[in-house]
Amino acid sequence: MRKLIVAAFQSLDGVIQAPGGPSEDWTNGFQFGGWLVPLMDEEVGAEIGALFSEPYDLLLGRKTYEIFAAHWPYHPEGEADDGLIAKQFNAVTKYVCSRSGDVDTSWKNTTLLRDAAKEVAQLKQAEGPNLVTQGSSDLIQTLLAADLVDEIRTMTFPVVLGAGKRLIGPRAHPNIWTLAKHSVSANGVVLARYERAGPVEVGDYGLVDPSPAEALRQERMKRED
């Protein structure tokens, strides 16, 4: 079975919108496109390299796919840094998810998926390398809601952006995640890998016999709900 890995650059408040430049996504007047660029360092670059060091297929939402398709086929290929990423991205299988609308799938080795939850679930059962997402905020919400994500790799930058598209929204399937690996870069970027561990468990630190004040508080909460 193939794993589905969500990999994301995010701010302290969970924003993943337009990390690499203003032209990536200015939806809803987002003002901070390119917010990660001043904070990039060698450790972050090494983490990106590790992500793409093993066989993988790309799984992208339409908007991110179009950003990639307008950039990577035109980037010089090489054996180091961005040149290696260009070489890999141009060669690997790419799945682009779009519920409707026209998508130019002329970028080599591209397959269009119309029903992301259903078709990605089928892809995970098939033979092949792991599926890796980049960007694709809307698609990630669908994958999390369908409980299809096996691993989340975050690169959390020390910046608060306020408004913007979030990595994890309210539709996400409840789960516990195990921290499998983590480190901190020279610029304070927290690099973390989380693996899905199972359903959420709960407990209760309340008194066995609630105090009269607590009983009144709970009654008020019920009325205000």
Side-chain angles (χ1 to χ4, degrees):
M1 182 175 176
R2 312 164 80 172
K3 287 203 309 183
L4 197 166
I5 301 171
V6 166
F9 306 110
Q10 68 171 359
S11 65
L12 281 176
D13 51 340
V15 174
I16 64 173
Q17 188 168 352
S23 64
E24 287 183 346
D25 188 353
W26 50 78
T27 301
N28 297 325
F30 186 69
Q31 300 177 15
F32 300 110
W35 51 266
L36 72 70
V37 177
L39 293 168
M40 282 291 290
D41 55 33
E42 291 184 3
E43 291 93 337
V44 176
E47 182 69 9
I48 296 170
L51 173 66
F52 297 121
S53 64
E54 298 180 0
Y56 63 92
D57 289 342
L58 279 175
L59 177 64
L60 306 171
R62 178 184 62 81
K63 292 179 181 179
T64 299
Y65 171 82
E66 290 176 345
I67 293 169
F68 280 26
H71 177 81
W72 292 112
Y74 306 96
H75 192 291
E77 295 185 2
E79 297 301 327
D81 301 328
D82 284 358
L84 180 58
I85 296 295
K87 184 177 181 179
Q88 290 185 10
F89 281 4
N90 288 329
V92 301
T93 298
K94 294 163 282 286
Y95 297 99
V96 52
C97 301
S98 178
R99 289 184 295 270
S100 60
D102 295 331
V103 182
D104 180 358
T105 58
S106 60
W107 190 12
K108 183 172 60 177
N109 300 327
T110 293
T111 297
L112 175 63
L113 306 180
R114 288 299 191 188
D115 187 334
K118 177 181 177 181
E119 294 181 82
V120 170
Q122 293 171 345
L123 284 175
K124 290 186 62 179
Q125 296 298 325
E127 293 293 326
N130 290 335
L131 300 164
V132 175
T133 70
Q134 286 278 275
S136 308
S137 58
D138 290 341
L139 172 62
I140 288 173
Q141 308 316 307
T142 298
L143 300 175
L144 288 170
D147 201 19
L148 293 172
V149 179
D150 301 292
E151 184 176 324
I152 300 175
R153 299 192 186 189
T154 56
M155 287 160 270
T156 305
F157 288 72
V159 57
V160 172
L161 300 173
K165 298 177 181 177
R166 258 62 180 181
L167 173 60
I168 299 175
R171 295 169 52 203
H173 190 279
N175 277 314
I176 292 175
W177 296 81
T178 297
L179 180 61
K181 183 177 180 180
H182 71 284
S183 62
V184 181
S185 80
N187 286 341
V189 182
V190 178
L191 312 172
R193 302 184 189 183
Y194 298 92
E195 297 174 351
R196 187 174 55 182
V200 175
E201 300 175 358
V202 299
D204 190 349
Y205 280 121
L207 297 173
V208 175
D209 297 314
S211 67
E214 173 63 12
L216 288 173
R217 186 191 70 84
Q218 291 184 18
E219 285 298 320
R220 186 175 69 251
M221 288 178 62
K222 291 177 183 179
R223 295 194 301 271
E224 294 175 351
D225 190 2

